[in-house]
Amino acid sequence: MGFNDLTQLAKGASLYLPHVKQGAVLRYRGLILDFGGVLTTQMRLNGEAFEKSEGLEPGAYFDALGRNPEGVRVYADLEVGRATQEDWNRVIGKILGVDPTDLMRRALANLRPEMVILDAAQRAKAVGIKVALLSNSFGLEPFNPYAELGMYEGWDAMILSELEQVRKPSPIIYQRCLDALGLTGPECVFVDDHAKNLPPAEALGITTIHHTDPDDTVRQLDALLGQLAA
């Protein structure tokens, strides 16, 4: 179940933010959410499960992505459309010594929608807050993780770095998200699980939340998005 499924369920449901009445003038008018690790379960848990399923040494996958120079390069290129997902499959497969065929699908096989965050997004949308998905891309072909997890519908804006040819933490991609929402930085809240992605958003006036625990993030969101304008 993804965001669009919650949208359908909400049509006859009583979804709300605490202390907010329909039509109230809110301090914040936009909510921007990262995909992997925020709208989904934790990326580290997914990676650890992948290592086990492929018979890899603990940490091998994370080293390939974050420390191996070729792995770092191809991932960065994938995120901005300079490399294809099949390029990534081939390079990462070679580093790990595993079959590269449809490797991204296997690498992300244990991701699941994070329902408490999706529910919070739907409750925000129900009181008139615009919601956006902002993601550094994993590639879209041959495996599309956004489609796989039902994330394509229900958003007021969906910004993928591969299509924008710029990735977080570049300020450009945050500004493009604001433009797509038709909002300014001070009108928005942004949630990401990588601390390095927050300062450029803050520089645009966006209020940020460093996501480490879904329930804690939801408490912060309800408190922020429930604020009324002075």
Side-chain angles (χ1 to χ4, degrees):
M1 180 180 287
F3 186 41
N4 192 52
D5 300 291
L6 284 171
T7 301
Q8 297 302 315
L9 289 173
K11 289 183 176 179
S14 177
L15 295 175
Y16 59 93
L17 289 167
H19 315 303
V20 177
K21 295 181 179 180
Q22 197 73 30
V25 180
L26 302 173
R27 175 181 174 186
Y28 294 102
R29 299 175 57 206
L31 171 60
I32 304 169
L33 297 166
D34 175 43
F35 171 68
V38 174
L39 288 167
T40 74
T41 47
Q42 292 181 25
M43 295 299 294
R44 175 156 292 278
L45 295 179
N46 170 80
E48 289 170 352
F50 169 70
E51 289 175 341
K52 290 180 181 178
S53 69
E54 297 287 327
L56 299 170
E57 291 294 322
Y61 177 58
F62 301 103
D63 285 345
L65 300 184
R67 295 184 181 179
N68 183 286
E70 283 299 297
V72 171
R73 179 195 58 77
V74 76
Y75 212 158
D77 286 348
L78 174 68
E79 289 179 328
V80 295
R82 288 194 300 264
T84 67
Q85 191 180 94
E86 290 182 332
D87 292 332
W88 184 94
N89 291 343
R90 184 175 60 257
V91 171
I92 300 300
K94 181 178 179 181
I95 293 169
L96 295 176
V98 300
D99 181 3
T101 306
D102 215 8
L103 184 59
M104 184 66 83
R105 184 186 300 274
R106 305 199 319 268
L108 299 181
N110 292 281
L111 278 188
R112 299 291 181 269
E114 187 58 78
M115 299 310 298
V116 295
I117 301 296
L118 287 162
D119 179 66
Q122 179 53 55
R123 289 187 287 114
K125 192 173 178 68
V127 296
I129 293 171
K130 293 182 178 181
V131 293
L133 182 157
L134 171 58
S135 175
N136 280 355
S137 180
F138 296 93
L140 303 176
E141 293 180 350
F143 173 64
N144 187 325
Y146 309 100
E148 183 75 13
L149 296 184
M151 295 286 178
Y152 261 104
E153 298 182 23
W155 308 103
D156 295 289
M158 185 172 181
I159 306 296
L160 303 179
S161 64
E162 176 180 355
L163 302 180
E164 299 296 326
Q165 298 186 324
V166 62
R167 62 177 182 153
K168 295 178 289 182
S170 170
I172 295 171
I173 199 166
Y174 301 101
Q175 187 60 58
R176 288 183 184 174
C177 188
L178 293 175
D179 292 344
L181 290 172
L183 298 173
T184 64
E187 294 177 293
C188 294
V189 176
F190 170 55
V191 183
D192 200 293
D193 59 330
H194 291 289
K196 69 178 183 180
N197 290 335
L198 302 181
E202 292 164 357
L204 292 171
I206 300 171
T207 297
T208 64
I209 295 175
H210 182 206
H211 175 81
T212 57
D213 174 77
D215 291 331
D216 182 58
T217 293
V218 168
R219 283 191 291 270
Q220 293 184 67
L221 282 176
D222 283 345
L224 285 171
L225 298 181
Q227 293 180 12
L228 301 181

